[in-house]
């Protein structure tokens, strides 16, 4: 009797893998014992039994059986052979027609040409289905439990740590800490990417870009927090590289300040910072006029043909340089006043350690709710109300932590003797942060035919 050996590589994270070599050797032994002739060995390589992708090898197997190339198939067990219900039915159909016997290293033979054999195959299929369901459920629970215990479950080597995910690599860790420092000091993600590239860190990506840097700085792992599906679950088993406050401050910048520090294509100091006094939309650089760079309302739209009928009447458009000089003057004058130190964050810097403890307690409480619900101690409505309350407080605490981690961007300017010189050394992103911290600016139209700069048309409000 001619037989085809079918083996399938399958791996899961819990390590219940069975190498194809082993499957194949056992199957060959079985064939020898039965005195069958192995006409072909087919190996499929896919990751899960529940997978939906067609198996190339399985299709080959069906095709060979259809042709009558073999009258038997040997597989290690039923779950190696049948991956889903549909595949199982197709195999049974061809098996019935072509009188095929299925033999298993683990399990008895099934003669698909008899009704009894097909019934057994059908039952095997149902049992396998059930086991797969249970297995993926077990895996999900195992992964969740690992997260709740702050443990890592494998995966790629994280930047800053060795492949075990726990051992800190000093050089990479230093780069990451510097990255957070730079971000909090107003640097752009591109600048951090350049710095990492310059230092030759290329383990994760070949070339750092702003988005890969952002992904690193976004990762709660660096604050020693274990996240699962985007949610922070518990303190991690590995040591943090930065404090949670630093991490939160960085998230804050990445969330909100990103638009301020690096609005897409920000060409000028006040792009997307200042607003049109008439309509409230932000201004951007545009429409150079007679060689002068201009700010123009972003809500202004050109009519077909490039005409701009409403500029000057409904939307602002005015020379950029005098406005910028005036705004910088306002800022530096404010920072020169004797009460400028009051602007420093330090005065009300919250107690970081206390906040950290509270956040941790709140998260533990959130997890406890699920248990209370499962126990029947709390009703669904009670759980919802309680988790809403806890989450609200958690958000407050996290925001305060972000404040605690924020580097005071005004400090160097306030302490500088020559404020104009110091201003000149700051990157535009940093300058924009300073302005955004202090001022709200609205630009009025300069007035028709006005040649001199009129400060009263730059409306400003201190924050
Ligand atoms: Zn406007």
């Amino acid at each position: 009797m001619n037989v085809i050996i079918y083996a399938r590589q399958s791996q899961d994270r819990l390590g219940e893998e069975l190498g194809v070599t082993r499957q194949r050797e056992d199957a060959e032994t079985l064939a020898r014992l039965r005195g069958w002739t192995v006409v072909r060995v087919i190996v499929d390589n896919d990751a899960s039994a529940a997978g939906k992708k067609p198996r190339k090898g399985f299709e080959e197997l069906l095709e060979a059986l259809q042709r009558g190339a073999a009258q038997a198939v040997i597989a290690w067990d039923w779950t190696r052979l049948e991956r889903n219900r549909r595949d199982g039915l197709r195999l049974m159909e061809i098996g019935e027609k072509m009188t095929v016997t299925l033999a298993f290293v683990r399990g008895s033979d099934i003669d698909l040409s008899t009704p009894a054999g097909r019934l057994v195959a059908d039952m095997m299929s149902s049992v396998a289905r059930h086991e797969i369901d249970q297995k993926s459920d077990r895996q999900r629970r195992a992964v969740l439990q690992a997260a709740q215990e702050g443990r890592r479950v494998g995966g790629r080597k994280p930047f800053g740590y060795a492949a075990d995910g726990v051992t800190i690599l000093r050089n990479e860790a230093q780069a990451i800490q510097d990255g957070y420092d730079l971000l909090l000091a107003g640097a752009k993600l591109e600048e951090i990417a350049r710095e990492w590239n310059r230092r030759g860190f290329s383990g994760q990506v070949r070339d750092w870009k702003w988005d890969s840097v952002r992904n690193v700085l976004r990762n709660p792992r660096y604050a020693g927090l274990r996240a699962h599906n985007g949610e922070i679950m518990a303190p991690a088993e590995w040591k943090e590289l930065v404090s949670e406050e630093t991490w939160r401050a960085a998230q804050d910048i990445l969330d909100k300040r990103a638009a301020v520090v690096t609005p897409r294509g920000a060409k000028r100091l006040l792009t997307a910072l200042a607003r049109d006094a008439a309509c409230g939309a932000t201004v951007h650089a545009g429409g150079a006029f007679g060689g002068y760079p201009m700010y123009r309302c972003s809500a202004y739209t050109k009519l077909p043909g490039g005409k701009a009928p409403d500029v000057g009447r409904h939307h602002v458009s005015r020379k950029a340089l005098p406005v910028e000089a005036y705004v910088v003057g306002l800022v530096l004058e404010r920072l020169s006043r004797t009460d400028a130190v009051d602007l420093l964050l330090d005065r009300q810097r919250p107690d970081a350690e206390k906040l950290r403890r509270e956040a941790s307690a709140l998260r533990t409480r959130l997890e406890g709710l699920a248990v209370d619900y499962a126990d029947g101690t709390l009703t669904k409505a009670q759980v919802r109300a309680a988790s809403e309350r806890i989450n609200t407080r958690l958000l407050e605490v996290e925001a305060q932590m972000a404040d605690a981690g924020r580097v005071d961007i005004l400090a160097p300017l306030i302490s500088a003797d020559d404020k104009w010189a110091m201003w000149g050394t700051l990157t535009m992103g940093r300058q924009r942060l300073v302005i955004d911290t202090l001022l709200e600016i609205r630009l009025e139209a300069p007035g028709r035919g006005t040649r001199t700069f009129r400060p009263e048309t730059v409306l400003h409000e201190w924050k």
Side-chain angles (χ1 to χ4, degrees):
M1 188 143 86
N2 288 341
V3 60
I4 296 175
I5 289 176
Y6 178 84
R8 181 161 66 85
Q9 180 74 49
S10 136
Q11 281 168 329
D12 60 62
R13 283 187 153 192
L14 299 185
E16 294 172 19
E17 72 177 282
L18 177 67
V20 277
T21 319
R22 167 87 190 282
Q23 292 177 41
R24 182 182 171 159
E25 281 168 5
D26 287 353
E28 277 166 349
T29 307
L30 182 61
R32 224 176 6 256
L33 287 171
R34 299 277 176 91
W36 291 348
T37 314
V38 177
V39 291
R40 205 151 156 204
V41 177
I42 296 176
V43 177
D44 256 327
N45 203 332
D46 70 353
S48 83
K52 299 281 186 287
K53 267 186 270 173
R55 288 181 284 172
K56 222 175 116 242
F58 188 77
E59 298 303 323
E60 266 177 57
L61 174 69
L62 291 184
E63 195 258 338
L65 293 175
Q66 182 87 46
R67 269 195 288 115
Q71 296 74 47
V73 177
I74 299 180
W76 209 81
D77 65 9
W78 178 266
T79 60
R80 294 291 135 180
L81 186 57
E82 190 218 42
R83 193 181 55 163
N84 57 46
R85 187 86 184 137
R86 215 181 115 254
D87 284 355
L89 290 173
R90 289 164 70 208
L91 180 63
M92 277 184 245
E93 197 181 313
I94 293 173
E96 178 184 3
K97 198 171 71 188
M98 304 302 294
T99 326
V100 172
T101 296
L102 305 180
F104 300 103
V105 174
R106 292 275 179 282
S108 0
D109 291 7
I110 298 176
D111 181 354
L112 289 180
S113 64
T114 68
R118 288 195 299 279
L119 177 65
V120 171
D122 209 34
M123 278 161 50
M124 297 291 285
S125 172
S126 301
V127 170
R129 195 91 309 104
H130 178 67
E131 276 174 359
I132 288 168
D133 287 351
Q134 275 201 326
K135 195 164 78 177
S136 54
D137 193 45
R138 266 207 310 279
Q139 276 177 23
R140 256 198 309 278
R141 270 184 287 133
V143 170
L144 177 66
Q145 195 187 356
Q148 284 166 342
E149 289 165 5
R151 279 184 292 115
R152 172 180 148 88
V153 286
R156 282 173 43 175
K157 167 198 168 315
F159 187 43
Y161 295 83
D164 64 6
V166 174
T167 311
I168 293 175
L169 300 180
R170 247 196 33 218
N171 286 344
E172 292 186 3
Q174 186 64 52
I176 290 169
Q177 286 158 346
D178 292 349
Y180 280 102
D181 284 350
L182 285 166
L183 181 78
L184 293 177
K188 292 184 183 184
L189 292 170
E190 287 90 337
E191 293 171 58
I192 301 169
R194 263 202 301 282
E195 178 62 18
W196 289 358
N197 285 332
R198 193 185 62 76
R199 293 202 219 167
F201 294 116
S202 56
Q204 309 297 299
V205 286
R206 266 182 20 176
D207 203 12
W208 291 99
K209 299 232 165 49
W210 69 272
D211 51 346
S212 44
V213 170
R214 186 193 52 191
N215 290 345
V216 167
L217 299 180
R218 279 265 186 222
N219 196 337
R221 122 179 303 279
Y222 298 115
L225 298 170
R226 175 66 162 87
H228 179 62
N229 290 342
E231 222 173 295
I232 291 167
M233 307 294 289
E237 61 174 335
W238 54 85
K239 259 188 78 63
E240 75 280 358
L241 297 185
V242 296
S243 70
E244 189 176 341
E245 299 79 59
T246 299
W247 183 79
R248 295 237 169 250
Q251 306 318 300
D252 208 36
I253 288 182
L254 293 171
D255 288 344
K256 298 177 221 141
R257 294 299 183 91
V260 173
V261 182
T262 51
R264 255 179 287 282
K267 292 201 191 92
R268 301 210 65 91
L269 189 62
L270 301 179
T271 297
L273 279 184
R275 293 178 177 279
D276 181 349
C279 78
T282 54
V283 300
H284 58 189
F289 176 75
Y292 294 108
M294 306 288 283
Y295 281 120
R296 178 184 275 178
C297 176
S298 58
Y300 145 84
T301 43
K302 269 192 185 140
L303 286 185
K307 285 204 158 177
D310 54 355
V311 148
R313 262 182 295 153
H314 303 297
H315 296 285
V316 70
S317 172
R318 59 183 300 176
K319 284 180 194 162
L321 292 173
V323 174
E324 288 170 0
Y326 177 68
V327 168
V328 172
L330 280 176
V331 165
L332 296 184
E333 191 274 329
R334 176 71 188 88
L335 295 178
S336 307
R337 285 188 226 159
T338 44
D339 65 349
V341 278
D342 293 348
L343 295 169
L344 291 176
L345 286 167
D346 278 339
R347 272 185 319 135
Q348 63 229 20
R349 186 156 290 211
D351 180 350
E353 185 47 44
K354 217 179 107 206
L355 289 171
R356 216 174 313 167
R357 276 199 307 271
E358 186 176 356
S360 166
L362 288 168
R363 278 182 212 122
T364 310
R365 186 70 199 103
L366 269 179
E367 263 176 48
L369 287 181
V371 177
D372 288 350
Y373 176 59
D375 288 352
T377 319
L378 292 177
T379 66
K380 201 169 189 174
Q382 286 172 321
V383 167
R384 196 178 305 132
S387 75
E388 225 161 77
R389 212 163 48 235
I390 296 170
N391 271 319
T392 309
R393 179 62 193 147
L394 192 55
L395 280 178
E396 280 169 22
V397 171
E398 286 173 354
Q400 285 175 25
M401 288 173 109
D403 279 342
R406 189 167 294 146
V407 168
D408 206 316
I409 50 164
L410 300 180
L413 277 167
I414 291 174
S415 61
D417 289 330
D418 187 344
K419 295 190 174 19
W420 282 96
M422 175 53 101
W423 180 263
T425 67
L426 301 181
T427 63
M428 194 168 86
R430 186 91 184 256
Q431 292 174 344
R432 289 167 56 80
L433 269 179
V434 171
I435 294 171
D436 186 56
T437 304
L438 292 174
L439 272 179
E440 245 166 80
I441 304 152
R442 286 177 300 132
L443 302 179
E444 284 186 339
R448 212 167 266 279
T450 314
R451 291 192 171 269
T452 52
F453 174 71
R454 292 187 301 130
E456 63 273 24
T457 58
V458 179
L459 310 176
H460 62 274
E461 216 167 295
W462 298 101
K463 284 187 182 172

